């Protein structure tokens, strides 16, 4: 009998997630507690957001939600979200149970394709359907208050769940196309990776939020080619405002399939090259100690004929590098001028604080 109860408990836990077609996939499970809202009120707000009541739109890059099953009086809501570019579909399940005068929601989101890192997408799939003004989220009708307890949720950055978009001006380039950027001529990779780089300005993207614009650095080193063909080790380090909360990303890179040595591709080392993103060196002068890096060709028009990259994982980001950690405003402004000449909207760049930083672990 005890075995039977244990089995039922295991099945109950499994039933809180919708399942995935892929054996290896990213996911997020969490529990949200609403102490002053009934389950019917919580379910009603989730469904209203899915239905776009009062003009509600997904704040996480404009995805499309669908209610697959359930109603305001159901204990279980099954939903799905298609990403804004229409490429990926995630499934979610919300299991609601009354808890005193409030409601407890066990929620789970699962990717439906092979994936390991999702940069908080599965978390935001759930969070955006109930979050309120306490996290700066748009609402349909009810501004719910809640607390969250994370389960198996590897990536859960709230700052990525509400994307602040730059409005496109009427002065946007007439044909909707962006100026073709150019990379460094006669680029010497060995020289570029020979010493650490310090980031002075960068664009906020999904894995580099503004909250980590402190003491940001990048280091590169040649390595033996891996199974997936990566031959450059990448170490990115950033800190939060206290300059002790450290975030380190260890990635891999290699030259892309073109004949341009200044066009690299970068990804987590355990992923194959087809999952990589572009990393282009547009400007570089070793003698003056600067570089301008872009996550590929910008494709999003903003204003006055200028453009920007995306703010997701691949095809995203813009960085101003210097060899010296101490900020040189004249040098930074020079590189900003080079970026604008390449057609970039400089409004996307935010300053990085490089003062009072911990020493690099060399």
């Amino acid at each position: 009998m005890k075995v039977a109860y244990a089995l039922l408990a295991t099945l109950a836990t499994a039933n809180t997630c919708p399942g995935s077609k892929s054996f290896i996939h990213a996911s997020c499970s969490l529990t949200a507690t609403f102490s002053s809202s009934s389950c019917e009120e919580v379910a009603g707000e989730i469904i209203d957001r899915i239905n776009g009541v009062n003009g509600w739109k997904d704040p996480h890059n404009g995805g499309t939600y669908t209610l697959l099953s359930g109603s305001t009086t159901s204990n279980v809501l099954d939903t799905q979200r298609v990403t804004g570019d229409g490429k990926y579909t995630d499934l979610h399940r919300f299991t609601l149970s009354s808890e005193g005068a409030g409601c407890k929601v066990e929620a789970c989101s699962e990717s439906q394709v092979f994936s390991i890192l999702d940069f908080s997408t599965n978390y935001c799939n759930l969070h955006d359907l109930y979050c309120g003004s306490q996290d700066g989220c748009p609402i349909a009708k009810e501004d719910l208050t809640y607390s969250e307890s994370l389960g198996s949720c590897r990536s859960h950055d709230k700052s990525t769940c509400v994307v602040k978009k730059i409005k496109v001006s009427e002065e946007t380039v007439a044909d909707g196309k962006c100026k073709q950027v150019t990379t460094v001529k006669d680029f010497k990779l060995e020289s570029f990776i020979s010493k650490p780089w310090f980031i002075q300005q960068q664009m906020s993207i999904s894995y580099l939020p503004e909250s980590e614009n402190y003491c940001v650095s990048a280091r590169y080193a040649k390595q033996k080619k891996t199974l997936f063909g990566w031959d450059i080790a990448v170490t990115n380090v950033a800190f939060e405002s206290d300059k002790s909360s450290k975030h380190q990303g260890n990635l891999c890179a290699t030259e892309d399939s073109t004949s341009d040595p200044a066009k690299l591709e970068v990804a987590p080392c355990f992923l194959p090259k087809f999952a990589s993103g572009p990393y282009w060196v547009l400007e570089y002068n070793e003698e003056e100690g600067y570089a301008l890096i872009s996550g590929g060709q910008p494709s999003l028009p903003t204003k006055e004929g200028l453009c920007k990259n995306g703010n997701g994982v691949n095809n995203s980001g813009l960085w101003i590098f210097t060899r010296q950690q101490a900020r040189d405003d004249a040098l930074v402004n020079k590189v900003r001028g080079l970026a604008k000449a390449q057609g970039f909207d400089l409004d996307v760049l935010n300053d990085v604080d490089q003062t009072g930083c911990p020493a690099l672990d060399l």
Side-chain angles (χ1 to χ4, degrees):
M1 183 64 71
K2 290 182 179 179
V3 173
Y5 282 134
L7 179 59
L8 287 172
T10 301
L11 291 173
T13 301
N15 286 337
T16 61
C17 286
S20 175
K21 298 175 183 178
S22 175
F23 180 69
I24 298 176
H25 61 278
S27 66
C28 176
S29 64
L30 58 83
T31 299
T33 303
F34 304 82
S35 59
S36 58
S37 300
S38 68
C39 286
E40 187 169 343
E41 290 171 328
V42 174
E45 178 63 14
I46 291 173
I47 293 172
D48 283 344
R49 295 188 190 190
I50 291 172
N51 291 333
V53 171
N54 291 326
W56 189 89
K57 294 182 180 179
D58 171 31
H60 182 58
N61 297 316
T64 302
Y65 283 96
T66 303
L67 178 66
L68 301 178
S69 66
S71 67
T72 57
T73 58
S74 301
N75 293 328
V76 176
L77 301 178
D78 283 319
T79 65
Q80 73 171 27
R81 176 180 178 272
V82 178
T83 54
D85 57 13
K87 292 182 178 180
Y88 304 104
T89 298
D90 298 330
L91 296 181
H92 336 113
R93 178 165 292 167
F94 297 85
T95 304
L96 301 86
S97 58
S98 296
E99 190 170 79
C103 182
K104 182 176 76 171
V105 178
E106 294 178 275
C108 182
S109 174
E110 294 186 289
S111 300
Q112 299 300 297
V113 296
F114 174 84
S115 54
I116 298 175
L117 298 178
D118 69 350
F119 301 95
S120 300
T121 294
N122 279 287
Y123 170 71
C124 294
N125 288 343
L126 307 172
H127 180 78
D128 282 344
L129 285 181
Y130 58 77
C131 61
S133 59
Q134 71 186 66
D135 286 319
C137 299
I139 65 173
K141 289 182 180 178
E142 299 289 335
D143 189 2
L144 303 170
T145 57
Y146 49 86
S147 61
E148 286 179 336
S149 175
L150 299 174
S152 58
C153 197
R154 183 175 181 181
S155 185
H156 47 84
D157 183 357
K158 285 184 181 180
S159 69
T160 67
C161 296
V162 179
V163 177
K164 297 178 181 179
K165 297 182 178 180
I166 298 175
K167 293 183 179 179
V168 178
S169 164
E170 293 178 358
E171 298 174 309
T172 294
V173 60
D175 61 2
K177 295 182 179 179
C178 296
K179 181 178 180 180
Q180 191 72 33
V181 298
T182 58
T183 56
V184 179
K185 292 183 179 180
D186 302 319
F187 178 66
K188 304 297 183 184
L189 178 63
E190 292 76 11
S191 174
F192 179 79
I193 68 174
S194 62
K195 291 178 286 187
W197 286 103
F198 298 93
I199 291 72
Q200 301 295 343
Q201 290 191 330
Q202 64 183 15
M203 179 181 176
S204 178
I205 54 180
S206 63
Y207 56 92
L208 289 172
E210 284 189 61
S211 60
E212 297 173 18
N213 278 3
Y214 300 87
C215 307
V216 185
S217 63
R219 287 174 289 155
Y220 309 87
K222 276 286 190 178
Q223 65 179 12
K224 183 179 179 180
K225 187 170 290 188
T226 69
L227 175 65
F228 291 125
W230 304 115
D231 56 3
I232 302 170
V234 182
T235 304
N236 295 326
V237 175
F239 288 82
E240 296 180 22
S241 59
D242 60 7
K243 298 180 182 176
S244 61
S245 299
K246 181 179 178 180
H247 300 268
Q248 179 168 318
N250 297 313
L251 304 173
C252 282
T254 191
E255 294 180 15
D256 71 8
S257 57
T258 69
S259 57
D260 186 343
K263 290 184 177 180
L264 307 176
E265 48 191 5
V266 179
C269 302
F270 53 78
L271 293 180
K273 290 183 182 179
F274 70 78
S276 67
Y279 183 90
W280 294 0
V281 184
L282 304 186
E283 308 286 350
Y284 167 51
N285 187 306
E286 183 63 37
E287 184 176 342
E288 295 186 49
Y290 69 77
L292 175 68
I293 312 298
S294 173
Q297 169 64 38
S299 60
L300 302 175
T302 57
K303 61 185 180 182
E304 301 173 356
L306 301 174
C307 289
K308 65 173 183 174
N309 288 323
N311 57 8
V313 179
N314 293 335
N315 301 101
S316 61
L318 182 67
W319 296 267
I320 292 178
F321 285 10
T322 62
R323 286 296 193 197
Q324 298 300 316
Q325 187 166 21
R327 185 183 177 93
D328 181 337
D329 285 324
L331 185 59
V332 171
N333 287 331
K334 175 177 181 175
V335 185
R336 283 174 61 87
L338 295 173
K340 188 168 184 178
Q342 291 262 19
F344 284 98
D345 183 347
L346 303 185
D347 287 348
V348 303
L349 289 172
N350 300 305
D351 285 333
V352 174
D353 182 353
Q354 292 286 1
T355 62
C357 297
L360 286 181
D361 296 326
L362 298 177

